Amino acid sequence: MLYAAAVYEESPDVKIKCWLLSKNLNLYADRLGENGIHTLEQVVDLEINDDKIYEKLGIKLAGHRRRFERAVLDLRRKRCLDEEPETPVAYGYWAKPEDLSDAQNEFLCIQAKAKSPFNDHLTRNLEFMVDSGSDVSTLQREIIDSLQLKSVSTVESKGIHSASREKDLYNVYLQLGKESLDIDVRISTFSS
């Protein structure tokens, strides 16, 4: 008997029932099963913003709906904590990039390699500033010229203090650690 207790593992259906019971939502256990939801992994993947899921599960009370939503979000957070942490692609450091040496503050920087998509021999090592507030990547004209990059399209660009205008986009491979990214960049006075 002790051996059986030591090796006992709850079935997925029992885990769902226990989870629902712990949230005072156990009256919905049968409805989850009837809708093909038999594991906590399936619960985590539910579209909790879709009203149809609550209709299918018979969750009509607003308080029960909020409690169910919070419970699913808690499960998602727990799953994220239980997963293996991702291996960083590369490590950054705080510095003033050479192009911004007179800046008041340091920036998050990373070593990168820009590679031409047309010629494997054309590469440039560079200090790349991580600009999390920007929706565009940039390279200096001198780097774009040395890699012999060609304009692939244009984009309408508007800076904080400037009028909107068309700017060329150039395709480049950016090597960060072991990862190679195929990105489009525009010309700027610094690489970010």
Side-chain angles (χ1 to χ4, degrees):
M1 179 89 134
L2 290 176
Y3 174 76
V7 297
Y8 171 76
E9 187 174 332
E10 296 173 326
S11 72
D13 283 329
V14 170
K15 286 181 183 179
I16 285 182
K17 288 178 181 175
C18 289
W19 172 73
L20 287 169
L21 183 63
S22 74
K23 305 298 180 187
N24 292 323
L25 294 168
N26 49 312
L27 64 131
Y28 302 109
D30 290 339
R31 292 296 289 269
L32 264 81
E34 291 167 10
N35 283 280
I37 302 166
H38 301 286
T39 67
L40 288 175
E41 289 76 21
Q42 290 173 307
V43 171
V44 167
D45 292 333
L46 288 174
E47 291 294 330
I48 58 173
N49 294 325
D50 185 355
D51 291 334
K52 292 177 186 172
I53 193 67
Y54 299 100
E55 291 172 23
K56 287 181 182 179
L57 300 179
I59 301 175
K60 296 177 181 166
L61 298 174
H64 285 197
R65 179 180 171 145
R66 283 192 302 275
R67 193 179 319 153
F68 187 81
E69 287 173 351
R70 282 194 304 272
V72 172
L73 291 172
D74 287 344
L75 267 180
R76 288 178 182 168
R77 278 190 285 279
K78 184 179 180 325
R79 180 171 74 172
C80 288
L81 293 174
D82 290 345
E83 291 178 355
E84 289 292 317
E86 292 182 25
T87 304
V89 172
Y91 293 93
Y93 53 92
W94 292 97
K96 291 183 183 179
E98 186 178 316
D99 310 320
L100 298 170
S101 59
D102 59 342
Q104 185 175 359
N105 298 308
E106 293 183 331
F107 298 90
L108 180 58
C109 298
I110 194 165
Q111 292 296 316
K113 181 184 282 189
K115 298 177 5 178
S116 171
F118 310 109
N119 184 335
D120 289 340
H121 301 292
L122 295 176
T123 64
R124 285 288 300 268
N125 291 323
L126 55 107
E127 186 173 55
F128 202 74
M129 183 179 72
V130 178
D131 186 355
S132 60
S134 177
D135 59 354
V136 66
S137 296
T138 63
L139 286 177
Q140 298 159 301
R141 171 162 297 285
E142 182 265 323
I143 295 171
I144 287 174
D145 291 343
S146 72
L147 296 175
Q148 300 174 1
L149 301 180
K150 295 172 179 54
S151 176
V152 292
S153 67
T154 59
V155 65
E156 188 172 333
S157 179
K158 180 176 175 25
I160 296 172
H161 304 291
S162 63
S164 179
R165 49 184 239 224
E166 292 284 314
K167 295 198 176 180
D168 287 325
L169 285 179
Y170 301 85
N171 185 248
V172 67
Y173 295 135
L174 188 68
Q175 184 87 33
L176 297 173
K178 294 180 181 178
E179 293 290 321
S180 183
L181 308 170
D182 182 355
I183 65 171
D184 292 333
V185 297
R186 69 173 182 80
I187 295 173
S188 182
T189 56
F190 53 87
S191 299
S192 70

